[in-house]
Amino acid sequence: MTTLGAISYDEAIHFHNDTDEANDSGISSISKEMLAKTRFPQWAPTWDIAHDHTFENVPTFKAIDRGLFADPSYPLLKSIPGASFKHVSPKLGLEVNGIQLSSLSNNQKDELAHLVETYGVVAFRDQDLKYHSFDEIKKLGSYFGPLHVHPTSGAPLNHPEFHITYRRGSKDEQIKMFNDKLHNIGWHSDVTYENQPPGITFFAMLQSGESGGDTQFIDMFETYDRLSPLMKSLIDNLKVLHTSKDQAYFAKLTGGIERKDPSDNIHPLVRYHPVLKKKCLFINKSFSRRILGLKTEESDNLLLFLLNHTEACLDAHVRMQWDENTVVVWDNRRVIHTATNDWDTEDIRHAFRVTSLAERPVANKDELDAWTPELELELEKSKDLVIKLSPKEYYEKYYQ
């Protein structure tokens, strides 16, 4: 199997056995010294050994996208006193002021889903979300679907539905990061190795410096649309193997945990969006490993072409700037993103993510309409066999 997209170890989400600490109960967290510098200690990342291999994925379910219930003119959001909307770029990205995510009605949340799907990524300024309880924030996220539990990242104690990003503010960490590589840009969409990967995703800043650490996004609708009609026709029905095995390996390497067994899943290379009725590329270096039915060199070169094309599309790209009261909401099906490690101060960067699971990725509307949980369970039984098929066997089974 190719290692073309081998994931790098992300120190912002994983346990550091050289700097972090474990107590007698088997709960690991940041050091007491770092905890004293953390303004929201209840949000400190923890890794509880009691959670190791005790979680399973959410059972297969029929996703209902809340954006389908919204008025696309957004009358309820736009009627909120003081609400304002500013385009980040003509097609991708929006900045919103005057709307509190924590105060939305259900009908307004439906409009929120459609707004995020339409613009890909939306930054909401002056938010109070981080001052609400864990349960209140989980209730907001779960309105859009079951919440994802990350297999390896840090989470607040007893709240594994949150994924914590925590850069420890050490200059040594920055030096180590670039010790053997030229940059730390890692374009991805989150946890695409899941059978039903996330859709609507909330990412809220808890603590940061005055500048730096932007999150960058690329529009995968646009990267697909740029391809020639012939190229589109060649790739529209291809399938890609996504895996979490590399991520799990690196997490365990430094003393972390695996809440769930590593997973492999097969997804379409080109994905259909159920609300916007458009197609987008659905690959990323972090988790996409192999195009089924192609030989190694064929798969590697096609993936490399598509990934290079995607990452070069900086005219389909936005940078969302952070402050400590910003919440960014994006559609994980439509965009890929990367952190930007461009500061060399000792500022801590601490944030949380809560994300809802969406529909099973499909290649077109017919597949979407035909999909059922029962059909998915039948396909799941043969998945391991499909992954092992040779290119000739795969062609004979699915194309002849």
Side-chain angles (χ1 to χ4, degrees):
M1 183 183 298
T2 176
T3 58
L4 173 71
I7 188 173
S8 61
Y9 177 68
D10 187 347
E11 295 183 342
I13 69 171
H14 289 123
F15 178 72
H16 290 212
N17 56 8
D18 54 345
T19 60
D20 297 338
E21 300 174 352
N23 64 23
D24 293 338
S25 300
I27 298 173
S28 302
S29 188
I30 55 175
S31 68
K32 294 182 179 65
E33 178 184 2
M34 291 308 306
L35 190 62
K37 299 177 182 178
T38 301
R39 292 205 293 274
F40 290 84
Q42 71 275 27
W43 285 98
T46 64
W47 297 265
D48 188 346
I49 193 64
H51 289 170
D52 197 64
H53 291 280
T54 60
F55 287 83
E56 295 183 356
N57 286 326
V58 172
T60 301
F61 68 99
K62 182 75 171 178
I64 299 176
D65 196 303
R66 299 309 310 178
L68 292 168
F69 299 89
D71 182 334
S73 66
Y74 315 121
L76 300 177
L77 292 179
K78 290 182 176 179
S79 66
I80 294 174
S84 66
F85 304 80
K86 177 184 176 182
H87 288 268
V88 179
S89 77
K91 295 182 180 180
L92 181 68
L94 202 65
E95 288 192 12
V96 175
N97 281 281
I99 293 177
Q100 278 296 341
L101 293 169
S102 61
S103 301
L104 297 179
S105 68
N106 285 347
N107 289 336
Q108 288 171 328
K109 292 173 190 174
D110 292 343
E111 290 190 3
L112 169 68
H114 197 284
L115 184 77
V116 171
E117 290 161 352
T118 299
Y119 292 99
V121 52
V122 183
F124 291 86
R125 306 299 188 186
D126 297 317
Q127 295 298 300
D128 63 6
L129 192 63
K130 64 186 178 184
Y131 299 107
H132 287 257
S133 70
F134 293 127
D135 288 341
E136 288 172 313
I137 299 171
K138 284 189 278 190
K139 183 178 179 181
L140 170 64
S142 63
Y143 180 77
F144 304 96
L147 297 184
H148 180 254
V149 172
H150 197 282
T152 60
S153 70
L157 187 63
N158 298 321
H159 293 281
E161 298 87 355
F162 294 99
H163 163 98
I164 297 297
T165 296
Y166 189 95
R167 294 217 176 273
R168 290 153 181 80
S170 165
K171 289 187 177 181
D172 290 339
E173 183 181 25
Q174 196 82 352
I175 292 170
K176 180 181 178 182
M177 185 182 302
F178 298 110
N179 187 48
D180 60 356
K181 55 186 176 181
L182 297 173
H183 65 82
N184 198 49
I185 297 297
W187 292 107
H188 64 284
S189 52
D190 290 326
V191 299
T192 59
Y193 48 74
E194 302 290 17
N195 189 51
Q196 292 185 238
I200 301 298
T201 297
F202 294 81
F203 194 92
M205 190 60 62
L206 295 163
Q207 182 176 344
S208 67
E210 291 184 4
S211 66
D214 298 352
T215 302
Q216 305 183 51
F217 295 85
I218 289 178
D219 187 353
M220 300 297 271
F221 282 151
E222 190 71 14
T223 60
Y224 175 74
D225 289 342
R226 299 275 178 89
L227 298 172
S228 66
L230 180 56
M231 177 58 76
K232 290 178 183 177
S233 71
L234 293 173
I235 68 173
D236 269 356
N237 295 312
L238 297 179
K239 304 288 186 182
V240 178
L241 174 66
H242 295 242
T243 185
S244 68
K245 289 176 180 175
D246 299 307
Q247 185 182 74
Y249 168 78
F250 283 114
K252 294 292 284 187
L253 192 65
T254 57
I257 63 170
E258 291 179 70
R259 295 185 185 89
K260 299 181 283 190
D261 291 337
S263 60
D264 293 328
N265 273 294
I266 301 167
H267 295 314
L269 174 58
V270 177
R271 180 176 186 169
Y272 177 79
H273 197 287
V275 176
L276 302 181
K277 317 299 184 189
K278 296 175 64 177
K279 292 182 178 182
C280 63
L281 287 177
F282 192 61
I283 52 168
N284 65 89
K285 278 186 178 177
S286 291
F287 308 119
S288 304
R289 289 295 172 268
R290 178 166 58 89
I291 299 174
L292 301 186
L294 298 184
K295 294 186 177 181
T296 299
E297 295 88 350
E298 295 169 337
S299 174
D300 281 358
N301 279 281
L302 182 52
L303 279 177
L304 185 61
F305 162 72
L306 292 171
L307 291 168
N308 285 343
H309 156 61
T310 295
E311 296 178 10
C313 276
L314 298 184
D315 46 2
H317 158 272
V318 295
R319 290 175 71 124
M320 306 302 275
Q321 295 182 323
W322 293 98
D323 59 43
E324 292 185 346
N325 297 309
T326 289
V327 177
V328 173
V329 190
W330 67 81
D331 185 350
N332 193 63
R333 299 164 292 187
R334 171 180 175 175
V335 295
I336 57 174
H337 63 278
T338 182
T340 309
N341 298 286
D342 58 352
W343 74 97
D344 58 3
T345 65
E346 295 186 357
D347 293 320
I348 290 170
R349 186 174 185 272
H350 188 192
F352 71 83
R353 185 186 80 201
V354 60
T355 187
S356 57
L357 300 178
E359 76 282 356
R360 178 73 162 90
V362 294
N364 51 58
K365 186 178 185 302
D366 289 342
E367 284 189 19
L368 181 71
D369 293 341
W371 186 92
T372 64
E374 294 75 20
L375 175 62
E376 187 63 35
L377 290 174
E378 288 302 311
L379 292 174
E380 179 70 17
K381 294 177 183 177
S382 62
K383 179 181 65 179
D384 291 342
L385 292 175
V386 173
I387 291 172
K388 294 176 182 178
L389 292 176
S390 71
K392 182 175 183 292
E393 291 168 334
Y394 189 88
Y395 175 77
E396 291 173 345
K397 184 174 180 64
Y398 292 104
Y399 286 93
Q400 274 195 333

